[in-house]
Amino acid sequence: MALLNSEPLNLASPLPAFHLKDAVSGQNFDLNSFSDKKVLVILFICAHCPYVQAVEDRLVELRKDYEGRGVQLIGICSNDASAYPDDSPENLRTRALDYNYGFPYLIDETQEIAKNFGAVCTPDIFVYGRDRKLAYHGRIDDNWKDATQAKRHELREALDDLLSGHTPLAQQMPSMGCSIKWKT
């Protein structure tokens, strides 16, 4: 397991286009699927990464707390499922249902979407406001291991800022996790 931090990106970068299939419903989603949402949270995640597993409950809590406020979480798995079978579409579906994700869990088989976003690790989190410009690219909070020990909840702070018409702080701590498992 190679530990990486998310790469710094230019805030205000436009949301890259995508058209991907949901591992749970089989439905295809693209940017137009979420045009009514105020905020999009793109989560590059997977099933096998211990860093993602440590924050799954927090992601579900975020979804529950913010879905009625115009925030849409979208999971994307870009890992090479042939080399990492835990990240196969069937296993992603099972995990999403078992943990009650409640948000689309899209499959990036070609890995082009991860490259277009600049995603490098799982979890790698990208938040876009109504203008679909990057407003936040960082961690969920300051304690990936134990939510009860977290003192700062940066992702929630960014969502609250966007929903209240403010810009999230420019200083953002990177997310960290396993490397995306690129095809060779």
Side-chain angles (χ1 to χ4, degrees):
M1 156 176 77
L3 175 64
L4 291 179
N5 287 326
S6 58
E7 295 287 329
L9 298 173
N10 291 328
L11 294 178
S13 299
L15 173 63
F18 61 85
H19 184 85
L20 298 170
K21 187 176 184 175
D22 181 21
V24 177
S25 70
Q27 180 180 349
N28 289 313
F29 287 94
D30 61 23
L31 292 181
N32 294 326
S33 305
F34 309 103
S35 60
D36 62 324
K37 301 299 181 183
K38 296 175 189 172
V39 177
L40 297 182
V41 180
I42 309 295
L43 309 160
F44 284 87
I45 56 177
C46 66
H48 85 274
C49 173
Y51 295 93
V52 173
Q53 292 169 5
V55 300
E56 281 173 309
D57 291 337
R58 285 176 256 188
L59 297 177
V60 171
E61 282 181 41
L62 276 166
R63 188 233 346 131
K64 289 177 182 176
D65 291 347
Y66 287 92
E67 68 187 345
R69 298 174 61 195
V71 175
Q72 177 67 56
L73 274 66
I74 303 162
I76 299 177
C77 182
S78 299
N79 281 352
D80 180 1
S82 62
Y84 292 85
D86 284 351
D87 296 331
S88 71
E90 300 78 25
N91 288 329
L92 299 179
R93 180 181 191 283
T94 298
R95 191 151 192 100
L97 292 172
D98 287 350
Y99 282 84
N100 191 28
Y101 280 7
F103 53 80
Y105 198 176
L106 309 180
I107 304 164
D108 178 18
E109 289 183 38
T110 67
Q111 302 183 316
E112 285 303 310
I113 303 305
K115 291 173 185 170
N116 291 344
F117 273 83
V120 296
C121 61
T122 56
D124 206 344
I125 302 163
F126 301 77
V127 179
Y128 297 86
R130 172 58 81 188
D131 62 359
R132 299 307 188 241
K133 304 282 187 191
L134 184 64
Y136 181 79
H137 179 233
R139 63 189 182 183
I140 294 171
D141 56 42
D142 63 357
N143 194 318
W144 72 268
K145 288 182 183 180
D146 184 355
T148 66
Q149 298 300 310
K151 305 279 188 267
R152 293 234 20 240
H153 302 274
E154 290 105 321
L155 179 54
R156 284 181 180 273
E157 292 169 12
L159 295 176
D160 290 340
D161 284 342
L162 287 168
L163 291 172
S164 64
H166 298 101
T167 302
L169 294 175
Q171 184 178 4
Q172 301 173 2
M173 298 302 294
S175 184
M176 66 176 208
C178 298
S179 63
I180 289 181
K181 306 310 182 209
W182 301 107
K183 294 178 181 180
T184 54

